[in-house]
Amino acid sequence: DVDVSLTTREISRMIKQMGIDFNSLKVEYADDPFGEYSGAGTIFGRTGGVMEAALRTAHNFITGRDLHHVDIKEVQGLEGIKEATINVDGNDVKIAVAHGTGNVDKLMQQIRDAKEKGEPIPYHFIEVMACPGGCISGGGQPRTINDDIRKKRTKGLNQDDYNSRRRCSHQNPFIIKLYEEFLGKPCGEKSHKLLHTSYTPRSIYR
């Protein structure tokens, strides 16, 4: 599905090669629809961010109301596997967040064990990120990385989220317009066809 990718290291090199000085650039608004974003979109870059963003919108989708406090502390931090039960309008939603492939494997084994015992799967919703800390320390990011740097990058994303005019994905006016004019409704036939994916069992590649 992907033909070309551009990493942050590569685009940084391109900027330097072109002699572009960001401090001397005239401030301009980004082209629409990319000029508008939500804080929820920002925190996708760190572990727990996708879960937190999804829960903010899921709460609105289920109750018709936005959360008063959209920060969901249970999914934040650098612990390898985070588990929590979040109450949404009287319904307990069991969630798990894992980052780093070793932790992902541990989490998947918990699910396999439950299935083999005939027990209910222990979670309703799982977030998985292969890179420790999430995309903030992914393969295309600056190479010097440790937990102190991960914490600083996470803090930067969280601060941008906190300062955003809109902190929930469903509040983005361009997302609203996209559904009104093209996709129809969330989880509708067209949006499900175009935005959802499915998986097919494959044989082991040798």
Side-chain angles (χ1 to χ4, degrees):
D1 292 340
V2 178
D3 296 314
V4 178
S5 67
L6 182 66
T7 71
T8 52
R9 286 209 309 269
E10 289 168 336
I11 198 168
S12 178
R13 285 199 298 268
M14 291 168 67
I15 290 167
K16 290 176 181 178
Q17 288 169 355
M18 295 300 295
I20 297 172
D21 177 18
F22 272 64
N23 292 323
S24 63
L25 291 177
K26 180 182 176 183
V27 176
E28 293 184 5
Y29 191 74
D31 293 341
D32 291 329
F34 302 107
E36 189 66 58
Y37 67 95
S38 67
T42 297
I43 58 174
F44 265 50
R46 53 101 168 143
T47 176
V50 173
M51 175 69 73
E52 190 166 351
L55 288 172
R56 293 176 187 179
T57 292
H59 185 278
N60 177 275
F61 193 75
I62 293 167
T63 68
R65 306 185 308 274
D66 286 337
L67 285 163
H68 293 297
H69 301 286
V70 298
D71 299 298
I72 302 172
K73 301 295 185 183
E74 294 90 338
V75 300
Q76 298 180 10
L78 289 177
E79 186 181 351
I81 298 176
K82 298 178 281 285
E83 302 169 294
T85 300
I86 307 295
N87 188 277
V88 180
D89 203 34
N91 299 297
D92 285 337
V93 180
K94 296 178 181 179
I95 63 172
V97 172
H99 63 110
T101 51
N103 291 314
V104 172
D105 185 61
K106 291 177 186 176
L107 187 64
M108 298 310 294
Q109 191 57 52
Q110 292 180 33
I111 296 169
R112 292 187 200 103
D113 292 343
K115 291 178 74 174
E116 288 174 4
K117 294 175 183 176
E119 299 173 351
I121 294 175
Y123 312 107
H124 297 107
F125 186 18
I126 299 170
E127 177 202 289
V128 166
M129 292 191 181
C131 299
C135 300
I136 54 170
S137 56
Q141 301 289 16
R143 287 195 178 93
T144 304
I145 189 71
N146 54 43
D147 277 354
D148 286 339
I149 292 174
R150 290 185 183 99
K151 288 176 182 176
K152 289 177 181 178
R153 291 178 181 175
T154 295
K155 183 179 179 181
L157 296 186
N158 289 342
Q159 190 63 47
D160 187 79
D161 168 39
Y162 182 79
N163 292 335
S164 295
R165 287 188 299 163
R166 299 178 179 89
R167 299 192 64 194
C168 300
S169 303
H170 61 272
Q171 296 170 342
N172 187 322
F174 290 102
I175 298 298
I176 295 170
K177 185 177 181 181
L178 177 65
Y179 275 98
E180 287 177 347
E181 297 183 358
F182 181 68
L183 291 174
K185 63 179 182 178
C187 298
E189 183 178 352
K190 182 178 281 189
S191 62
H192 191 280
K193 179 181 179 181
L194 296 176
L195 303 180
H196 290 233
T197 190
S198 59
Y199 298 92
T200 303
R202 307 286 187 187
S203 59
I204 297 175
Y205 177 80
R206 300 187 188 281

